[in-house]
Amino acid sequence: MTSLRNMTSGSPGRLILSFALPLMLGNLFQQFYTIADAAIVGQVLGVSGIAAVGAAEWIIWMMQGMIQGFTQGFGIQMSQDFGARQYQRLRNVIVNSAFLSAASAVIMLLGGQIFAAWMLGMLHTPDTVWADTMLYMRTMFWGIPVVMAYNLFASILRSLGDGKTPLYAMICASFINIGLDLLFVPVLHMGVFGAAAATVLAQLCSSLFCLVKITRIDILKFQREDYALHTDLHLRLMKLGMPMAFQNFVISVGGMIVQSVVNGFGVAFIAGFTATNKLYGMLEVAATSYGFSMTTYTGQNLGAGKTSRIRKGYREALIIAMITSVVIAAVMIFAGKWILLCFINGDEQTTADTLAIAYRYLFIMSICLPVLYYLHVTRSCIQGLGNTVLPMISGCAEFAMRTAAALLLPIALGRDGIFYAEIAAWAGADIVLFFSFFYSMRKLQYLSEKNVEDT
């Protein structure tokens, strides 16, 4: 139990930050090997190689986002049961979550393979990169069960307050992925297939690492009765997980619409756009960590009946997030060009053109970063309360704004207009979340007062 963290007592800001830091480091290592993957592909295979990977990026994100949505939703129930010290129910929730995760992984794998060509066609993928993009995407789809396993195991650990084990798993995966990248791509000349295979194998190692840790947690010593499957529990878990998975699905559809517009601007623009999108994870890394931390903090305190701590924790998390976003933005603005050059290789003119496109996009996203950080903290707090419908609505607003901006702004501003689609999406989600948060807090206060009256 020493690695588990009870977040129902102590300073909220300190708890949220200390829980988020290992997640942040883990995400950094995950982004590190993602960046290394792109850098190796870009340097060895050139602009066409990174364009081929980038052309499938939103499709891959769609699958991974849906997986993350399901497992995060399941983790909300786990956090609440852990906070309430209902360990037998916690174990049964984990078993039923594993069953639902396995079924979802099989459906997504088959769907991905069947509709792969159709999805690339919908994105207007250039013929020059079609074959490599298809190969990369199909390989990543075969890894869906592995990605699902890691996300489920990591969600279990985070719901119990263990943010360190996913960190150690990501560190191991990072070095394995980079090592395999260097072996598969430049040495064995396996191209984009090698890059995808390296990622899948690294994720397999990280999932096994987390599984070993779970088997050593005392309160997770499973008994025969824990393996019972319950339809009502399945419905409860899907009620939490489906809206979050659908939210990420809708967001990714908006992203694919953006990608289809980008794909019409040529290989150099695709490469520059992709190079910055590879840094998107670095921009967002702290935000997602604060989000995971906020969901766990809120869920545990709700389960323990300590509702007064939730609002205080939210305020302190928001302050921390805003400060972090400003620091990251400053780093990207001043060092962004040097970082972007790691992904770009070609003749002098091609490199200069691609870099100009990439840095323009990076600069715009960096100065608007606080908008993104507000989104993650607020959405995660609402999700921790067990309400995944309002965050799903914010995802729909994100989709609407991203799509409208992608289709209309290039007409008014030229191809640079596409850079503002992401900012418009964040802002649209924030407007919905602003009102959703106050609604959720008022509802929580009403229920707390009603419970006091009833007792």
Side-chain angles (χ1 to χ4, degrees), residues 276 279 282-283 324-340 355-356 358-370 423 426:
T276 295
L279 288 184
M282 298 294 287
L283 297 174
T324 306
S325 67
V326 172
V327 172
I328 293 176
V331 172
M332 289 298 171
I333 289 170
F334 289 107
K337 287 185 178 180
W338 178 81
I339 299 172
L340 288 167
L355 179 61
Y359 183 72
R360 173 71 173 160
Y361 186 27
L362 178 62
F363 180 84
I364 291 170
M365 283 206 294
S366 295
I367 61 176
C368 297
L369 212 52
I423 313 305
W426 302 344

Side-chain angles (χ1 to χ4, degrees), residues 55-74:
E57 193 162 39
W58 271 107
I59 299 175
I60 302 300
W61 193 95
M62 177 184 69
M63 291 297 188
Q64 293 177 341
M66 291 176 65
I67 289 169
Q68 193 176 78
F70 278 121
T71 55
Q72 272 187 272
F74 302 158

Side-chain angles (χ1 to χ4, degrees), residues 22 58 86 88 111 113 124 147 154 159 170 219 227 246 267 280-281 285 292 354 366 397 445 447 449:
W58 271 107
Q86 297 290 330
Q88 194 280 325
Q113 295 293 355
H124 305 118
V147 178
S159 68
M170 277 298 106
I219 62 173
Y227 291 96
F246 181 74
V267 172
Y280 190 138
V285 65
F292 280 126
T354 306
S366 295
Q445 183 178 357
L447 293 175
E449 292 172 353

Side-chain angles (χ1 to χ4, degrees), residues 20-315:
L21 284 174
L23 299 180
M24 209 177 298
L25 289 171
N27 286 336
L28 277 172
F29 272 96
Q30 185 176 27
Q31 293 305 319
F32 176 59
Y33 78 66
T34 300
I35 288 171
D37 185 73
I40 292 169
V41 169
Q43 293 297 322
V44 176
L45 303 179
V47 169
S48 62
I50 195 170
V53 172
E57 193 162 39
W58 271 107
I59 299 175
I60 302 300
W61 193 95
M62 177 184 69
M63 291 297 188
Q64 293 177 341
M66 291 176 65
I67 289 169
Q68 193 176 78
F70 278 121
T71 55
Q72 272 187 272
F74 302 158
I76 292 170
Q77 186 62 56
M78 297 174 202
S79 294
Q80 293 177 2
D81 290 336
F82 180 71
R85 300 181 186 276
Q86 297 290 330
Y87 299 141
Q88 194 280 325
R89 178 175 168 82
L90 170 64
R91 292 191 294 270
N92 189 234
V93 167
I94 290 173
V95 169
N96 283 266
S97 296
F99 172 79
L100 293 174
S101 297
S104 300
V106 171
I107 293 171
M108 291 172 67
L109 189 157
L110 294 176
Q113 295 293 355
I114 292 170
F115 295 105
W118 176 80
M119 286 187 283
L120 283 188
M122 290 292 291
L123 292 180
H124 305 118
T125 304
D127 293 339
T128 52
V129 297
W130 177 284
D132 280 344
T133 300
M134 179 66 75
L135 178 60
Y136 181 82
M137 192 167 64
R138 286 195 183 279
T139 307
M140 293 295 288
F141 283 165
W142 284 116
I144 284 175
V146 173
V147 178
M148 181 69 82
Y150 168 74
N151 277 275
L152 176 64
F153 299 153
S155 184
I156 293 169
L157 292 166
R158 289 172 186 140
S159 68
L160 307 185
D162 180 3
K164 292 183 178 179
T165 300
L167 163 63
Y168 301 146
M170 277 298 106
I171 292 175
C172 292
S174 297
F175 287 110
I176 291 171
N177 190 84
I178 293 170
L180 292 177
D181 269 334
L182 293 171
L183 174 64
F184 291 166
V185 181
V187 177
L188 299 181
H189 306 291
M190 295 170 65
V192 294
F193 169 76
T199 299
V200 172
L201 290 172
Q203 289 173 333
L204 175 62
C205 293
S206 64
S207 63
L208 293 175
F209 190 101
C210 290
L211 177 61
V212 170
K213 175 62 178 179
I214 289 171
T215 61
R216 296 176 180 175
I217 297 175
D218 292 338
I219 62 173
L220 298 185
K221 299 300 182 184
F222 292 86
Q223 308 297 321
R224 179 175 296 178
E225 59 270 21
D226 298 330
Y227 291 96
L229 299 178
H230 300 287
T231 303
D232 58 336
L233 183 53
H234 289 168
L235 293 175
R236 166 65 179 163
L237 290 171
M238 292 305 287
K239 185 179 177 181
L240 291 169
M242 277 293 291
M244 296 179 71
F246 181 74
Q247 166 194 314
N248 287 340
F249 171 78
V250 168
I251 291 171
S252 66
V253 171
M256 284 189 276
I257 292 173
V258 173
Q259 188 67 53
S260 70
V261 175
V262 170
N263 287 350
F265 294 144
V267 172
F269 195 93
I270 297 172
F273 195 82
T274 300
T276 295
N277 273 340
K278 290 300 180 182
L279 288 184
Y280 190 138
M282 298 294 287
L283 297 174
E284 196 179 29
V285 65
T288 55
S289 300
Y290 292 142
F292 280 126
S293 184
M294 197 68 217
T295 300
T296 300
Y297 172 88
T298 304
Q300 286 193 13
N301 280 282
L302 182 64
K306 297 184 177 182
T307 55
S308 61
R309 285 174 53 83
I310 295 174
R311 188 184 293 270
K312 183 179 180 182
Y314 170 77
R315 287 196 302 267

Side-chain angles (χ1 to χ4, degrees), residues 402-421:
R402 181 180 283 113
T403 302
L407 296 177
L408 299 177
L409 290 182
I411 297 174
L413 305 176
R415 66 182 191 177
D416 279 10
I418 198 70
F419 297 148
Y420 296 95

